[in-house]
Amino acid sequence: MMPVPNHFNMATRKKRNAPVSRLAFVATAAIFLLGNLVFVRYGLISEHEDTESIIINSRSSPWGRSPLEVDVPKLSLPERPNIAPAATWQLPHMQVRIFDPTLRKLMESTRDNYMNFGANDRPADSTINGLDRPRGESLNCEDINNITARKYLASGWTKAVYRGRYKGRDVALKTVDIKGREVTTCRKQFNLPLRDCYNKAAQKILKEILLLQGITHNNVIKVLGYCVPNRPYDGHEDSTVTMVTELGESIDLIRLLQMSWEDRLRVVHGVANMLHFVAHSPYGSLALNDFRRQQFVLVDGELRMSDVDDVGFGEQACTKDSECETYYSSVNFTVGTQCINNLCHGYNEKKNIFNAGRHFTTFILPHGAPPGLKSHIDVIINGFGNATMNTEQLLKSMDRVVEIYRNGLHLDRTQPEGNTTEYSCHDNRDLRGRYDYRCRYSLAYKGCTVSVFDQKEAELMCSRDPECRAFVISEQKTWSGRTLVHLKNATGVPSINPKTQLCIRPIDR
């Protein structure tokens, strides 16, 4: 028998192996297709975000799949010591697993607070694990359902904000806006059911609750309660994720410029306090990546950061100094720091300071400032505008301005006439509710109410106002410790008030 040519053996082997190759190809394609389907169905995440999962499981859930599976953006901080690779916290009906080290750190701090509560203080309703309910303040799902007088205020990309009233107190409610861009884009682009897109949007509210309870500060909005139902979203109110916070007044440039200078000083002092806090927080330097006036509110005149969706943890990674720069074309200015040990050292602090100057300090602090404070304010404006001062220096400078203003050290008392008075003053007398008029520098919306260091400053203000004929000195103090005075445009028979003093301008005696 003649030997079989080698090329025929090769062809035979190829022919015999062909079905195996086709089978492998088909299997690979099927696995690839299945993987894509699983990703679209369960792996949907926010665009341009690296994420880690927070999984909230209801122990009694009849749906099998978790009612709420959400993704929390991964925060790029180095692993902190003495923290397990994954941590789990359990509270009634809920379980949360956090894998990101920074979020775990926040969770640990709130869990420790929760574990220190007495047995009678622990929540009986469904909660987010690790998020404690502050003693005497926190609202649960049942409380939130009892909030009345709800009124729509505003909405953004993800959330809708409502005003409500609970036990005589005005509060703000934040929940997913099902007509917002986050949900509608998700449904249109990926053809997913409302429930899944709702879950995707709800992750941001959960992150916000977590962060707001982790970075508590006087200039950060306070969480009063929250509700995470143990059922998936079905369109009913009792299946919505809701957070309740303090109700604040929105901020815009016109509103700020209409405020008295002392109130604007308070806003800028709050900015300086907040910047110092985020630069030295327990979790490292924080970046306020979306620093705009719209992210802040006023609560009883105090500045509060109300939106923490875009807060970043840790300094920016780098390999060279040029990667630690941000150019602002609108003002032709570059904020930059040095790249040290592959991190942009102090970059978050500088960028936060510069943005604060753009949106707050530069516009509102110099306008209407007392002449005696001008030199101090110029230094502060330069520190914000050029990022030449750090937050420690800015806070000290602002504290100094407040101290000078409170103690009247900015007043010119060198002139002889500054030490004499021709006003006629009467103790325990008042013109309550009479002869009030509106002045541009008033601290109140009605009447002309100003703050003074002492009686002499009140006399000077009245003498410089052609409409002023008298003023009433009260015992009330402003936030800075100065005395409230009510200017009047006429005089008459005064009433008795043991807490006031009436001073009449000389021309009216």
Side-chain angles (χ1 to χ4, degrees):
M1 181 181 292
M2 297 180 63
V4 179
N6 290 336
H7 63 84
F8 181 81
N9 285 335
M10 292 174 62
T12 303
R13 286 195 296 270
K14 289 180 180 178
K15 199 170 186 179
R16 290 175 179 173
N17 291 338
V20 178
S21 300
R22 291 194 193 98
L23 181 61
F25 174 78
V26 171
T28 303
I31 293 173
F32 177 77
L33 179 61
L34 181 61
N36 284 337
L37 291 174
V38 171
F39 171 77
V40 172
R41 181 66 177 84
Y42 298 105
L44 187 62
I45 60 174
S46 300
E47 296 182 9
H48 312 299
E49 289 185 333
D50 185 13
T51 60
E52 297 274 356
S53 291
I54 284 185
I55 304 175
I56 300 181
N57 298 314
S58 175
R59 293 178 182 174
S60 57
S61 172
W63 292 277
R65 183 175 176 231
S66 168
L68 190 59
E69 295 184 4
V70 299
D71 296 317
V72 171
K74 184 178 180 181
L75 307 177
S76 55
L77 268 187
E79 185 75 21
R80 297 180 184 272
N82 301 323
I83 299 179
T88 302
W89 294 266
Q90 289 186 330
L91 293 179
H93 312 297
M94 292 282 182
Q95 178 181 1
V96 173
R97 284 182 290 158
I98 301 291
F99 296 92
D100 182 83
T102 305
L103 292 180
R104 287 206 310 273
K105 187 70 174 177
L106 291 175
M107 193 68 87
E108 284 178 348
S109 66
T110 53
R111 179 191 61 176
D112 292 341
N113 291 335
Y114 169 79
M115 295 306 293
N116 289 331
F117 283 2
N120 295 330
D121 297 316
R122 296 189 184 181
D125 61 300
S126 299
T127 61
I128 298 178
N129 295 330
L131 294 181
D132 63 306
R133 295 187 177 277
R135 187 191 308 271
E137 283 278 0
S138 185
L139 308 181
N140 56 34
C141 294
E142 182 179 354
D143 297 326
I144 292 173
N145 288 335
N146 291 328
I147 294 177
T148 60
R150 300 190 182 192
K151 180 181 179 182
Y152 171 80
L153 293 180
S155 59
W157 185 275
T158 303
K159 301 184 291 288
V161 182
Y162 296 83
R163 179 188 190 130
R165 195 159 184 84
Y166 183 77
K167 292 186 177 180
R169 178 179 184 178
D170 290 328
V171 296
L173 299 92
K174 291 185 178 182
T175 187
V176 173
D177 184 4
I178 60 173
K179 295 182 180 180
R181 294 287 297 276
E182 180 87 23
V183 174
T184 56
T185 300
C186 167
R187 298 195 69 187
K188 182 178 180 180
Q189 185 174 354
F190 298 99
N191 195 29
L192 292 174
L194 176 60
R195 187 184 77 172
D196 289 354
C197 290
Y198 182 95
N199 289 350
K200 177 180 179 289
Q203 66 176 313
K204 293 189 176 181
I205 296 180
L206 296 178
K207 176 191 174 185
E208 194 167 2
I209 295 171
L210 178 64
L211 292 180
L212 285 175
Q213 289 207 337
I215 55 175
T216 55
H217 185 264
N218 192 48
N219 296 109
V220 177
I221 203 76
K222 184 177 181 181
V223 177
L224 303 178
Y226 51 84
C227 178
V228 180
N230 59 356
R231 53 182 287 194
Y233 179 73
D234 57 13
H236 291 90
E237 185 177 344
D238 58 358
S239 66
T240 60
V241 175
T242 307
M243 174 175 63
V244 181
T245 68
E246 300 170 294
L247 179 66
E249 176 188 0
S250 60
I251 295 177
D252 58 53
L253 186 57
I254 294 177
R255 170 71 182 94
L256 290 171
L257 293 177
Q258 289 175 338
M259 297 168 63
S260 69
W261 184 82
E262 183 172 355
D263 287 339
R264 283 184 272 121
L265 174 65
R266 185 181 188 182
V267 170
V268 177
H269 190 254
V271 169
N273 267 299
M274 184 201 62
L275 292 180
H276 183 266
F277 168 72
V278 299
H280 304 88
S281 83
Y283 314 105
S285 177
L286 307 181
L288 306 182
N289 294 316
D290 191 19
F291 201 120
R292 297 176 293 131
R293 284 185 291 270
Q294 292 86 342
Q295 308 294 344
F296 299 84
V297 295
L298 293 175
V299 178
D300 297 328
E302 189 78 52
L303 184 77
R304 299 272 203 279
M305 181 169 60
S306 60
D307 196 329
V308 295
D309 278 351
D310 297 293
V311 170
F313 288 76
E315 300 287 12
Q316 180 173 301
C318 61
T319 57
K320 53 186 177 180
D321 289 350
S322 61
E323 295 176 352
C324 301
E325 296 179 350
T326 297
Y327 175 68
Y328 294 87
S329 58
S330 60
V331 291
N332 191 28
F333 188 82
T334 299
V335 173
T337 59
Q338 289 183 315
C339 181
I340 302 175
N341 296 328
N342 295 323
L343 290 175
C344 296
H345 183 69
Y347 178 75
N348 290 344
E349 185 176 27
K350 273 186 173 290
K351 190 175 179 180
N352 291 342
I353 289 172
F354 181 73
N355 283 326
R358 294 172 64 210
H359 293 285
F360 286 100
T361 314
T362 303
F363 296 101
I364 69 174
L365 192 57
H367 177 65
L373 290 173
K374 186 178 183 304
S375 61
H376 297 277
I377 290 173
D378 288 344
V379 172
I380 292 172
I381 295 299
N382 184 66
F384 273 101
N386 298 316
T388 54
M389 302 170 69
N390 59 35
T391 56
E392 182 78 23
Q393 294 168 326
L394 285 172
L395 182 56
K396 287 182 178 179
S397 297
M398 285 302 305
D399 286 342
R400 178 58 179 161
V401 168
V402 172
E403 180 185 5
I404 292 173
Y405 187 62
R406 177 192 300 120
N407 296 319
L409 301 177
H410 63 292
L411 300 173
D412 183 10
R413 295 293 171 84
T414 60
Q415 301 298 324
E417 59 270 20
N419 297 318
T420 61
T421 180
E422 294 182 356
Y423 278 72
S424 174
C425 295
H426 309 274
D427 293 336
N428 306 321
R429 293 295 183 268
D430 196 357
L431 295 171
R432 183 181 180 86
R434 293 181 290 166
Y435 315 121
D436 293 316
Y437 68 98
R438 187 77 175 99
C439 61
R440 62 179 178 82
Y441 43 83
S442 177
L443 294 172
Y445 290 106
K446 293 183 179 180
C448 185
T449 302
V450 298
S451 73
V452 299
F453 167 64
D454 58 10
Q455 178 182 325
K456 291 184 175 62
E457 186 179 3
E459 292 175 4
L460 181 62
M461 295 184 72
C462 185
S463 298
R464 289 177 175 175
D465 187 343
E467 198 169 350
C468 181
R469 294 294 176 265
F471 58 84
V472 176
I473 303 175
S474 72
E475 293 183 350
Q476 294 176 297
K477 303 291 183 180
T478 66
W479 69 273
S480 66
R482 288 164 59 90
T483 301
L484 282 180
V485 170
H486 308 283
L487 274 58
K488 306 289 183 175
N489 61 7
T491 59
V493 179
S495 59
I496 297 176
N497 188 340
K499 296 182 179 181
T500 60
Q501 182 186 47
L502 172 63
C503 294
I504 302 174
R505 195 169 173 172
I507 58 175
D508 287 339
R509 283 190 300 177

